[in-house]
Amino acid sequence: SSGINAEYGVVVIGLGGGTNSGKTTICKKLQEIIPDCFVFNQDKYFKTLEEAKLSFPDTDVNWETCPALKMDDLVADVKLEMTKGHSVIIVEGHLVLNFPPLIELFDKTIFITLSYDLAHKRRLTRTYDPADGPGYFENVVWPGYLMILDEVRSNDKLNPTILDAADPDVAYKRVEEIVMKTLARK
């Protein structure tokens, strides 16, 4: 637990996971049972296509990496929100456990895994802007997810609870349990 978290009496949870693993849905359910739960959705921090192209001058934008996001803004916003009296803040997104300045703020980390087939099936039900081009899932999203998962598993500072998205109800119940236990220790 970060000293600043204790100072402000807030628990900060990092909820990472693959694309379409249920992170946002889990957070919405938690907000229904924890009135002062504040959620940061990493998706709101994507750079515009024009901004992102500056980070990828010689290649197509890889939206599955930190340079495609305003991660420093996310860190600053989380730090500011920590001062506002919430009992818990959840920061969710596919890369929230892969950015060291953000990791430093987390009291607890959770990562939701999912199979290739489930991720692909769920992704096909979503609309993205810019839209996924041909082969984007197979050639960028999935390999990016495997790299993110490998980084999370090999980072000694994280020690995340790894959950499987195959059964969304079980994943939600486990996250709820972890959040409630962490809050009880506050």
Side-chain angles (χ1 to χ4, degrees), residues 6-72:
E7 179 184 335
Y8 293 116
V10 63
V11 169
V12 183
I13 309 275
L15 179 61
T19 182
N20 302 303
S21 61
K23 301 175 299 293
T24 304
T25 302
I26 285 171
C27 288
K28 285 179 182 168
K29 287 182 176 182
L30 287 171
Q31 284 182 301
E32 290 173 12
I33 63 164
I34 306 170
D36 63 342
C37 174
F38 192 92
V39 174
F40 281 96
N41 181 307
Q42 176 199 275
D43 287 354
K44 293 186 176 25
Y45 289 84
F46 274 106
K47 294 177 180 175
T48 65
L49 182 56
E50 292 72 32
E51 291 170 328
K53 282 180 178 178
L54 297 174
S55 299
F56 299 90
D58 303 319
T59 183
D60 290 334
V61 173
N62 182 343
W63 298 102
E64 312 312 308
T65 60
C66 287
L69 292 139
K70 300 173 189 171
M71 295 299 281
D72 290 327

Side-chain angles (χ1 to χ4, degrees), residues 19-20 115-121 123-124 132-144:
T19 182
N20 302 303
S115 69
Y116 177 94
D117 289 339
L118 184 58
H120 192 247
K121 181 178 140 191
R123 190 156 178 110
L124 292 174
D132 288 354
Y136 187 76
F137 180 84
E138 300 83 355
N139 300 318
V140 180
V141 174
W142 188 253

Side-chain angles (χ1 to χ4, degrees), residues 87-105:
S87 62
V88 64
I89 294 173
I90 302 173
V91 185
E92 69 93 353
H94 70 294
L95 287 163
V96 300
L97 303 185
N98 300 79
F99 193 67
L102 202 50
I103 291 168
E104 290 175 18
L105 302 177

Side-chain angles (χ1 to χ4, degrees), residues 6 9 73 95 108 112 123 148-149 160 168 179 186:
D73 290 355
L95 287 163
K108 197 82 180 143
I112 303 176
R123 190 156 178 110
I148 289 165
L149 177 58
V179 171
K186 182 173 104 167

